Amino acid sequence: MENKPIDETFYRAPGAPMNKEEDYIVHATAFGGKVRALAIRSTQLCKDALRIHKTSPVATAALGRFLTGSLFLADSLKGDQDTQTTNIRCKGPLQGMTAVCEGKGNVRGYVNEPIVENAYLRPGKLDVGSAVGEGILTVIRDYGLKEPYVGSVELISGEIAEDFTYYLAVSEQTPSVMSLGVLLEDETVSHAGGFLIQVMPGADDELITYLEARAGGNFPDVTFLLREGLSPEHILDMFLGDPNIVYLSASPIGYHCNCSRDRMERNLITLGEKELRDLSEDEDGVHLACHFCDKTYTFSREEMTRLADGISHNS
Ligand code: ZN
């Protein structure tokens, strides 16, 4: 094969960062609009998750895939105030995972058991499926209406990408292909990302058969391609093989927690006056850690008493 230099301008979606270290999501369409295609580079985001949660390798891979997959689902949220919570409850050693997407491209999450023993499918390939095991994937989408939309499916394999694909097939009746990958090297995340291909209504069977064949064939791991220096745009082009692919836009994504002292205070108040009085007995005060970013908030005895007084005055 001839080693041609990659045409960087052809493979760049409008808005894509010039810096190869930055994470982003790219939106594309192909086959005359019959296919919607998204791809993500999430290396930095997965590194952030590892730094915050100090996860063991198989937990790092599982959480990284879960955060990336959640961003694909959240891409169809419309308003900036819309939120999406994805949750897995499972019997495998990881016990479960939660991810919250809020605002465009922001995700935060955690795994219930961050330190678990690693299992491998083959050398270098972590066995995420057995670390997750059997379970349920639930997706809660809050559009600011009275009731949030809730959907759930049983896990297919615990490999995450297949589970999200199944969810999309059941809940949205949209044939989809999702691929997710997190590569660990030297005890950190070296490459992470994924892609989502969706067939729009009205697509002919021939196109669906073609895409199924691409998905079922030996298409390389997304992390292998990222490691080779391919951009998310280039990976979509390679998978789809449509010379008329149109890159619509790209936008930044990242790990973002929006916790604050105010929010923690409001959580405390929901415990009720009696509980707050009991907690205020502790001379050291109360220490609360955020599940998502591990930041700790300390409330002194005096503050706890003030919060309890606030409730008794209002009641
Ligand atoms: Zn936080």
Side-chain angles (χ1 to χ4, degrees), residues 9 18 35 39 45 86 96 105 129 141-142 158 167 171 185 231 238 245 252 269 277 292-293 298 300 306 308:
T9 48
M18 302 297 272
V35 166
L45 185 166
T86 41
R141 295 164 139 247
D142 193 338
Y167 172 83
S171 73
E185 290 175 294
S231 65
M238 225 180 123
I245 184 170
I269 290 168
R277 296 251 183 252
F292 295 101
C293 69
T298 302
S300 67
R306 179 177 57 78

Side-chain angles (χ1 to χ4, degrees), residues 108 257-260 264 290-295 297:
R108 60 185 189 270
C257 187
N258 60 355
C259 67
S260 67
M264 285 295 179
C290 173
H291 278 311
F292 295 101
C293 69
D294 211 31
K295 193 171 170 186
Y297 295 88

Side-chain angles (χ1 to χ4, degrees), residues 280-297:
S280 69
E281 302 285 309
D282 196 328
E283 280 179 31
D284 292 338
V286 172
H287 307 279
L288 294 177
C290 173
H291 278 311
F292 295 101
C293 69
D294 211 31
K295 193 171 170 186
T296 28
Y297 295 88

